[in-house]
Amino acid sequence: MSDGILVINAGSSSSKFSVYVSDNGDEPQLSCKGQIEGIGVAPCFVARSPDGALLGEHRWAASADRKSLLAYLLGWIEHHLGDAELKVAGHRVVHGGRLYAAPVLVDDAVMEELVRLIPLAPLHQPHNLAPIQALAQLHPGLPQVACFDTAFHRSNDMLATTFALPRWLIDEGVQRYGFHGLSYEYIAQRLRQIAPEVASGRVVVCHLGSGASMCAIKDGRSVASTMGFTALDGLPMGTRTGQLDAGVILYLLQEKQMTAKEIETLLYHKSGLLGLSGVSNDMRVLMDSNDPHAREAVDYFIYRIGRELGSLSAAMGGLDAVVFTAGIGERSPEIRAGVLDQAAWLGLDCDGTANLAGQTRISSATARCSAWVIPTDEELMIATHTRDLMKSRLVVA
Ligand code: ADP
């Protein structure tokens, strides 16, 4: 019997989806994936097969609301699945707070908790929760599972998660949570399959996409990461600052009379690679540009990765391996070589040929620390968690 698993990764103006099929609870197999873009403007639905062939396309007038978009998606998926039945939906939810260290089946009480976390991630959490609420109305019998970007980092100890703030703020939940956890968890599992002896050591994973962060993973468990209270800290990103002296915010407020909203826009949407280069937030464009500020932005990105690599290695008492993943990490030999060359002092040594060829292992045979390129798959991680949770419910029942 084939079960359909719908995976939703919802953002403010677009929702990505993937549909997996699991036969008798086996490993989920990707059946199709796509997205609805332009939500609130001119929504457009596209679905593709795993090899990229177009399976479906649809456009709406701007007035279409999220619920009717989701209703269309559900109808399309049911038709696409044929004999298989849609059994469960798994969602990427950015924040699970202190409570959730693992995925959870969403019921009214869980939803109440997740809504309570909105102030901790106001730009993401509401968009993640909206399709869960809409699906509950459209398909009341469909179990829904929330998978959290923060959950993998719940293993971080108090020293790694604490800011030196007065206790009352800490008690309110102002601490480092860390994000991109589904990606790190996937990479930790893949590394255990590819190189088990490496996976049981001290590994730093560099998730370098439009959003970028790094995570120290010791024997498969997250020890520390570069993102903090929000997904703004750590590495510079496409349009986000990364690490910033909090005094700069006071300066913007007091000397520049900027409002909180203006500062939010500056830090989230106008900074990072875009702000520094004045050219683009896209790494490919920067690398092709002759503008000296574009080169500076690329150099700063590599430099910050190097600084964080030292810090995360210190948190683990040393380093055995580095893994590159996500858009830039998986596809840019130049950035990988830049990071590895700069970190030669840690025992890293890039094998230029393997790196250019995009091989899985890109360190030289004599390097004390190995280096790897492993494509991430957050959607598969969500589908697997969702399948596991449904299986465990059947066992309990
Ligand atoms: P997201 O965080 O949106 O999922 P991705 O993981 O897709 O982002 O990464 C997007 C980033 O990857 C962009 O900055 C893009 O320029 C960069 N990228 C994609 N391909 C390459 C490449 N061949 N070389 C350098 N950067 C690349």
Side-chain angles (χ1 to χ4, degrees):
M1 174 66 194
S2 290
D3 293 341
I5 303 170
L6 167 62
V7 170
I8 294 186
N9 180 355
S12 58
S13 64
S14 72
S15 272
K16 292 184 192 159
F17 69 88
S18 308
V19 178
Y20 291 80
V21 175
S22 168
D23 291 331
N24 303 312
D26 287 350
E27 185 71 14
Q29 302 295 324
L30 183 64
S31 170
C32 70
K33 63 178 176 180
Q35 56 191 358
I36 300 177
E37 281 182 320
I39 298 171
V41 192
C44 169
F45 159 91
V46 174
R48 294 184 184 277
S49 66
D51 58 15
L54 188 67
L55 296 176
E57 212 174 0
H58 190 79
R59 287 174 194 279
W60 288 264
S63 55
D65 64 7
R66 270 182 188 270
K67 201 166 155 194
S68 40
L69 300 179
L70 208 52
Y72 178 87
L73 177 64
L74 274 184
W76 186 89
I77 288 172
E78 267 157 24
H79 183 257
H80 168 79
L81 280 174
D83 288 343
E85 194 185 340
L86 182 62
K87 282 289 180 62
V88 60
H91 298 263
R92 180 180 187 174
V93 177
V94 71
H95 225 301
R98 283 175 171 161
L99 196 56
Y100 297 113
V104 63
L105 192 68
V106 181
D107 59 17
D108 289 348
V110 170
M111 183 50 90
E112 227 172 85
E113 275 298 324
L114 300 183
V115 168
R116 210 170 291 152
L117 294 170
I118 286 177
L120 296 188
L123 301 184
H124 296 98
Q125 192 86 340
H127 304 301
N128 301 157
L129 301 186
I132 304 183
Q133 287 157 329
L135 258 182
Q137 289 173 13
L138 288 165
H139 199 326
L142 188 73
Q144 300 197 69
V145 175
C147 300
F148 304 103
D149 268 321
T150 49
F152 186 62
H153 304 296
R154 297 309 297 138
S155 51
N156 290 188
D157 73 17
M158 175 276 203
L159 295 180
T161 59
T162 299
F163 295 121
L165 285 167
R167 287 281 163 188
W168 65 270
L169 272 169
I170 295 169
D171 293 344
E172 271 187 19
V174 180
Q175 62 166 71
R176 293 185 174 282
Y177 289 96
F179 299 89
H180 286 142
L182 292 157
S183 174
Y184 292 127
E185 190 178 6
Y186 176 81
I187 297 293
Q189 290 186 4
R190 279 294 292 143
L191 192 61
R192 208 169 276 287
Q193 292 164 350
I194 295 168
E197 69 295 348
V198 177
S200 58
R202 299 160 298 183
V203 181
V204 170
V205 180
C206 309
H207 177 110
L208 310 178
S210 307
S213 72
M214 294 162 68
C215 180
I217 302 178
K218 200 171 178 181
D219 195 13
R221 284 160 61 86
S222 169
V223 169
S225 72
T226 60
M227 280 181 168
F229 179 60
T230 63
L232 202 51
D233 203 1
L235 299 179
M237 304 170 221
T239 60
R240 285 175 255 169
T241 49
Q243 185 269 332
L244 181 76
D245 177 349
V248 174
I249 311 227
L250 297 177
Y251 175 79
L252 297 175
L253 277 168
Q254 293 164 348
E255 300 298 324
K256 295 287 166 191
Q257 278 80 45
M258 287 177 74
T259 63
K261 198 74 204 162
E262 286 167 344
I263 295 175
E264 178 187 287
T265 304
L266 181 89
L267 300 182
Y268 276 93
H269 303 297
K270 296 192 171 173
S271 299
L273 298 176
L274 173 66
L276 200 49
S277 68
V279 172
S280 173
N281 62 337
D282 190 311
M283 185 56 89
R284 281 166 299 193
V285 175
L286 297 181
M287 294 177 83
D288 289 342
S289 169
N290 292 323
D291 189 314
H293 289 159
R295 188 65 242 172
E296 270 172 21
V298 175
D299 289 345
Y300 180 70
F301 187 67
I302 294 172
Y303 170 79
R304 290 297 330 173
I305 295 171
R307 291 277 299 263
E308 297 291 351
L309 191 53
S311 167
L312 293 172
S313 301
M316 295 188 290
L319 181 71
D320 299 311
V322 171
V323 179
F324 293 94
T325 194
I328 301 169
E330 290 167 26
R331 295 188 201 102
S332 175
E334 185 183 336
I335 299 286
R336 293 194 299 257
V339 170
L340 295 176
D341 290 350
Q342 182 181 247
W345 66 278
L346 279 166
L348 285 154
D349 182 29
C350 184
D351 176 333
T353 312
N355 183 36
L356 265 182
Q359 287 178 9
T360 303
R361 183 178 169 142
I362 58 168
S363 47
S364 70
T366 53
R368 198 179 50 72
C369 280
S370 57
W372 307 79
V373 180
I374 303 180
T376 194
D377 196 339
E378 289 150 299
E379 279 75 23
L380 178 58
M381 198 67 241
I382 296 171
T384 306
H385 275 311
T386 302
R387 186 263 332 241
D388 289 349
L389 213 118
M390 294 309 288
K391 259 179 150 177
S392 68
R393 276 182 85 217
L394 286 177
V395 171
V396 172

